[in-house]
Amino acid sequence: MTPSSLRGRPRRAASHLPARVAHAVLGAVVAVLWLVLPGTTTDRATPAGPAPSAAAQPTRTEETATADLVLPLLALGTALALGAYGHVRRARRLRTRTTPGGPRPGPAPGAALTDLDERARAALVVADDCVRVSSEELDFAAARADAGAVAPYARAVDAARAELTEALRMRRRYDEGVPAEEAARHQALAGIVGRCAEAGRLLDEAAAGFDRLRALEEAEGFGGALEVAEGRFRELAGRTGAAEAAFADLAPRYSPAARAPVVGYAEQAKDRLVFATTRLNRARQCADRGERDRAVAHLRAAEGAVAQAGILVAAVGRQADLLTRAAELVPAALTGAEAELAGARERAGAEAGVRRERGEAASGVARERAGAVDVPVGELRARVLHADAVLSAVREELTSGPCDPLDLLLRIARVTAPVAAGRAAVLPAAAALVARGAVAAAADYVATHRGAVGAEARTVLTAARDAEETDPLTAEALARQARQLAERDVRARGHPDAAPGTGVSGALLGGVLLGPAPADAPAPSFGGPRTRARRTPRAP
């Protein structure tokens, strides 16, 4: 039977080598014949007669030898040329052929870059999940262990987070087109993959020691950890009801847009707690039967669900607090905005007066003395008019019924930024409040939906965090974009298939279970890509 590796290979391809050998042999034979034949022919054809003189004999011999060598050398050269030509043609066909059995062209540079790009995206998601889960389990360990025992693992998480953050920043620059050269972009992607690998390595190396710290395989360690998880579960069960009531209280006072960032969060927290209830019960039952490994796996799943329920409940309370503070800050922000606009009008009038008195050449000096931003008078007046219109709309919304005070603050801060000269300190404070709320909301959504959120949303979220202190308005815009990208990923992923009312679907979506099959999906633990799935609830 023909081997599979040889099927489809053209059989005539193997005949090129014998053909070249035959050409070379034929050329050699012709050359030998030409060398031998003249001597025998000359001896037989020499006519009888007087011998030539001794002086003429050398000359005749040299002429005959030279003439006899010309044709054989030409024949040998022709044969060698034919062989070389055949070899070149064969090599060229092998390089360019696409039929099976011959070398195929390598991947195009663009294709290789695309493959590395996908690897970098996947590496960012895995590294981010590993850092989040490790930090989460570290918090449960810290509830029982002393600070000195936990410190080495906290340092490992911090070091891994630093590597991940730098990788996300590199990815952000890459997405913005920096660097531009293909070779440099290839190196940038390789650097992202390398930093993610280093983050995972740091956590993988610390995983064994962390397991010894928690000692979940021992009765005392497992019992203490189960106690902590059940205590947090009971606390969150009470807080979830309070969060649900707090969210309901927002409806009469604020618009639906103001409540949108946390819509459904109380229900999702309940869903995570349902899942945690089931896993805590299974953990205790498995421990009673002596199935320690399965008990530990169920405990880790419960801890993950409890942690996410805490994020969801805290988000509702934070949003309520942000809206209250924003509503109190709007009147002061309006006053500060009016002060900034008044200053802008003064600067525009002063510059116009300077122009009339001194002419165009002195206008730059006048702007500097008046403290104005370096913009033409006409553009400055246009900005002031636009800001007046926006502030009028804000006042109308403020008095017409339930509104979104965070959005009002954002509009005030944005419209006054192009004309502000630092007269009103309340405006930077308003921008910082809005940015802080937007970044936190995006981070909470990514954390509780990490099973579906891709690399792009996580990258933009990191950029928003970086800009939060230095440029709040940019941070708010980036955080809003990150939330939209994360929601897009969740819609594309869809709701995982699982039995309703068990909380498993939410656990898969939130990354509490590593899926995709809920029956044997492990709960991630402290560690990197190599060790995070080491605790799997296997059947006894």
Side-chain angles (χ1 to χ4, degrees):
M1 179 178 290
T2 304
S4 59
S5 61
L6 298 179
R7 291 173 191 162
R9 181 175 296 179
R11 298 188 180 275
R12 63 181 181 181
S15 65
H16 288 280
L17 184 59
R20 290 200 303 274
V21 173
H23 290 162
V25 171
L26 179 60
V29 170
V30 171
V32 170
L33 288 175
W34 276 105
L35 288 171
V36 174
L37 190 58
T40 58
T41 305
T42 304
D43 292 339
R44 291 177 184 177
T46 304
S53 65
Q57 186 65 34
T59 303
R60 183 178 185 133
T61 302
E62 290 173 4
E63 290 175 355
T64 303
T66 302
D68 290 343
L69 287 176
V70 171
L71 290 177
L73 290 175
L74 287 175
L76 182 60
T78 302
L80 292 175
L82 288 173
Y85 175 70
H87 177 72
V88 170
R89 284 192 61 190
R90 171 65 174 164
R92 187 177 301 167
R93 279 198 298 268
L94 286 176
R95 284 196 304 268
T96 58
R97 70 185 299 169
T98 58
T99 55
R104 301 186 180 185
L113 194 65
T114 300
D115 292 342
L116 187 56
D117 182 37
E118 291 302 320
R119 282 182 55 202
R121 290 174 183 270
L124 285 171
V125 171
V126 171
D128 190 35
D129 286 349
C130 289
V131 170
R132 290 175 184 273
V133 171
S134 298
S135 178
E136 166 193 293
E137 189 175 359
L138 184 66
D139 183 54
F140 279 94
R144 296 186 60 246
D146 59 81
V150 173
Y153 308 104
R155 287 193 295 270
V157 172
D158 290 342
R161 184 182 290 110
E163 293 288 344
L164 169 65
T165 301
E166 186 55 36
L168 288 165
R169 287 169 179 163
M170 292 170 65
R171 180 73 212 195
R172 178 64 179 174
R173 293 192 293 270
Y174 181 90
D175 290 340
E176 291 175 341
V178 179
E181 299 80 9
E182 183 171 341
R185 290 177 72 77
H186 189 283
Q187 292 177 357
L189 291 176
I192 292 170
V193 173
R195 284 192 175 273
C196 291
E198 177 62 14
R201 186 193 65 79
L202 291 168
L203 296 175
D204 281 331
E205 286 185 351
F210 186 79
D211 286 348
R212 290 191 294 270
L213 172 68
R214 296 205 73 185
L216 296 180
E217 284 71 19
E218 300 175 6
E220 183 179 354
F222 178 82
L226 185 62
E227 234 179 86
V228 170
E230 289 177 337
R232 293 190 179 183
F233 170 85
R234 288 189 293 269
E235 177 196 357
L236 279 170
R239 288 174 55 199
T240 301
E244 194 171 19
F247 181 79
D249 290 342
L250 298 177
R253 294 183 289 161
Y254 305 111
S255 67
R259 295 174 278 132
V262 293
V263 166
Y265 273 24
E267 289 75 14
Q268 292 181 44
K270 289 181 179 179
D271 186 71
R272 299 293 196 279
L273 292 178
V274 168
F275 177 82
T277 300
T278 303
R279 292 305 178 111
L280 287 171
N281 290 336
R282 290 181 182 176
R284 190 172 288 280
Q285 292 167 2
C286 289
D288 292 341
R289 292 195 298 266
E291 300 170 0
R292 187 67 64 194
D293 290 344
R294 298 187 72 224
V296 171
H298 288 306
L299 173 61
R300 269 303 303 136
E303 288 176 342
V306 167
Q308 288 200 4
I311 293 174
L312 293 164
V313 168
V316 175
R318 186 188 60 249
Q319 185 71 9
D321 181 62
L322 283 171
L323 290 172
T324 300
R325 294 174 61 189
E328 295 171 351
L329 196 56
V330 167
L334 283 171
T335 302
E338 289 293 353
E340 291 288 5
L341 294 184
R345 293 189 189 94
E346 291 175 3
R347 294 194 299 271
E351 184 175 346
V354 168
R355 286 190 177 189
R356 285 193 299 270
E357 293 175 3
R358 301 185 180 182
E360 291 294 329
S363 60
V365 178
R367 281 200 299 273
E368 185 179 350
R369 290 176 179 173
V373 289
D374 190 13
V375 296
V377 176
E379 184 177 345
L380 183 59
R381 286 175 173 170
R383 291 179 182 180
V384 170
L385 290 175
H386 175 62
D388 274 331
V390 171
L391 295 182
S392 298
V394 167
R395 291 190 194 91
E396 185 176 352
E397 288 186 31
L398 190 60
T399 58
S400 61
C403 61
D404 181 357
L406 286 168
D407 180 65
L408 297 183
L409 283 181
L410 177 62
R411 289 157 63 186
I412 294 170
R414 278 182 176 170
V415 80
T416 54
V419 298
R423 288 190 173 190
V426 67
L427 295 178
L433 179 67
V434 173
R436 188 160 58 250
V439 171
D444 290 344
Y445 189 87
V446 171
T448 54
H449 297 79
R450 64 174 183 254
V453 176
E456 188 176 2
R458 302 172 194 239
T459 300
V460 177
L461 176 58
T462 299
R465 284 171 167 160
D466 289 343
E468 187 175 347
E469 297 296 329
T470 58
D471 191 351
L473 293 179
T474 298
E476 189 279 336
L478 290 171
R480 190 184 297 267
Q481 181 187 2
R483 174 72 180 259
Q484 291 170 351
L485 290 169
E487 290 175 347
R488 180 201 65 186
D489 291 341
V490 171
R491 288 193 299 270
R493 167 74 177 271
H495 215 58
D497 293 331
T502 62
V504 174
S505 180
L508 289 169
L509 193 64
V512 176
L513 296 177
L514 291 178
D520 57 354
S525 300
F526 183 106
R530 184 171 54 83
T531 58
R532 65 171 179 161
R534 61 189 179 276
R535 292 169 177 148
T536 303
R538 304 185 187 280

